[in-house]
Amino acid sequence: MTETTSQPRAMGRPLARLEGADKVTGRAPYAYEHALEDPLYLHPVLSTFARGRVTGVDASEAEALEGVRAVLTPGNAERLADTEDREFAVLQSDEVAFHGQFVAAVVADTPETARQAAGLVRVDYERSQHDVVLTVDHEGLYRPESEGGPASDTEQGEVEEALERAEFLVDHTYSTPTEHNNPMEPHTTVALWEEEAGRLTLYDSTQGVHVVRASVAAVFGLELEQVRVVAPHVGGGFGSKGEAHAHDVLAAMAARALPGRPVKFALTRQQMFCLVGYRTPTIQRVRLGADREGRLGVLVHDSVEQTSTVKEFPEQSAMCSRWMYAAPHRRTTHRMAALDVPVNFWMRAPGEAPGMYALEAAMDELAQACGLDPVELRVRNEPETDPQSGNPWSDRQLVRCLREGAERFGWYGRDPAPGARREGDWLVGTGVASASYPHLFNPGSVAHVRYGDDGRYEVGIGAVDIGTGSWTALTQIAADALGCSADGVRLRIGDTALPEASVAGGSSGTSSWGTAIVTAARAFRAEHGDSPAPGASARASAAQDTVDEGYAVYSFGAHFAEVRVHSYTGEIRVPRMFGMFSVGRVVNPRTVRSQFLGGMVMGMSMALHEESFRDPRYGHIANGDFAEYHVPTNADVGDLRVDWLEGEDLRATPMGSRGVGEIGIVGTAAAVANAVHHATGVRVRDLPVTPDKVL
Ligand code: MOS
């Protein structure tokens, strides 16, 4: 698509969140808060070991408690229509496949009663040997076949010869731990089954109402029209709410057992550590071979990851090495082992976040080996076209991000020697890393436009605002597409009663939904002209061919970090970070800035704080709460700044924008870890970089 929107007037403005006042005054209903009459409350019973069978459930004590309405067990639960996706096969058999799996559930008049009764349900088990530890030589490692997805392995040129020929060779293994998504709002579903109407309604905390509807309808053998999913406001997801999970099925199952009464189910923070996905640990070997000038001849990136026996999810961490740098000889591979662990899933920039940590840490090691400035090394390896497809870039601005970012951060003039700068007891260092994220676009979203009696345009699409600013950005996009002011648009989202829309995932939401809105607005104008009659309407879907296939469409950026490491205690502080990005047109500078800041905080967190410890004895996460799973607080975040290059990429979307949700976390951990190395001379290759590792 090359047709441009006429000079945008709403896009580009730092409009404050339209629903912001409602949110901070408590008037914006989140899933659990929807006011429904006579609700019941669900509390689940989770398995207490990683593999085996439930041999018996004694619910008599629980059932005897006043206020208990039902106890669901594998013995009495509804048989589901479709359990091909085994994550959804809730209470369908006596098999236990991971620690924390649903083995029963209590529904009661109050949450307290439900919880107390859940504690009274006695479950007997037969335990089997389990396997929950990923190793680089795990005997179950296999190559995932991703149907329709990107190839698991790629190879170009003569890799082995090139490795032998390289004048400088960096060959290291980097590892990242299990990490858990921790959005502020836990995963919550309120389910209501109306027996006579044959209608199931879910008020769900999700990144995609239509996605959840499709899954839940299939699982229960219902028509799509029988299921409605509502999510006007969502308190974050980071990928973990990108699809339905087992709790949606359990809540709906309970509601169907107790027709006419809404069943409320909010996972506890601890339960979120077993049931809503997580980032697999990765073990990544990166080999970079370069000539005397630091030009890469060969790049090999091999990643080992885990998945669950229940359902396969490949993280694909080596993908970034297919497009980041020029190297004629190149290989990427992914291997996985299926363990007795919960289902892993999306966590902000799945693949790119761990992958770019490894690649960008290795690039730093190569810069040091070649005696080159790390910014210069990256500039020298800039590919003219996409190394993977040979296609020209739509808008590759990595070098500008690196150079302008370096200027703005005050990168130049540093002494490259590690451990050279000391201020009192603190060692000071700086680090850099590239960022990149592919432009993902989900076809098939539909929008409708209707001119109302009040002279405003109602724009409807079943999209979701997960806290990122979609309400506001989509309103701005609609205003420009219709040639009116933002006030002239009344946006409706967050409900499957509205037209089909793709998930808020893969940084694709604004691109995909915005394109549908622009398409519908153009259809509206074509049909009704500039002076429509009240009630005039149009509906259109985003075309399949929105993205120009002849181009490699990616976003880029550069992260700079300064760290201080205490020479006696190993305490690591990050006083300064700067991120410079190129994402095409910025639809709303205020919300986009927040996305970058949030991504960078999460990347810094990945570098220094986040690590889920899976206890090999029982297979559970030993630190599954906010007391022990560390995420940064205000005191951990220093002077954090972001900026971006002005741009417009009409090969990506008709708005000229690309996605912004994930690139902020990509490469960030490497910039911090590289800075720690510069400060101390200690190269930590297993995240997080904690004090014990730098001393
Ligand atoms: Mo993002 S991890 O695709 O929500």
Side-chain angles (χ1 to χ4, degrees), residues 207 238-239 346-350 504-506 662:
Q207 295 173 222
F238 306 114
W346 295 343
M347 179 162 170
R348 206 169 194 173
E662 281 157 302

Side-chain angles (χ1 to χ4, degrees), residues 143 151-161 163 298-300 302 322 327-333 335 387-388:
R143 180 167 64 135
S152 136
D153 293 8
T154 58
E155 177 143 6
Q156 291 164 261
E158 310 289 335
V159 167
E160 298 304 327
E161 284 170 34
L163 283 169
V298 56
L299 193 173
V300 185
D302 301 304
R322 297 177 188 172
H329 308 284
R330 180 190 313 263
R331 181 160 69 214
T332 63
T333 70
R335 295 293 177 270
Q388 200 173 185

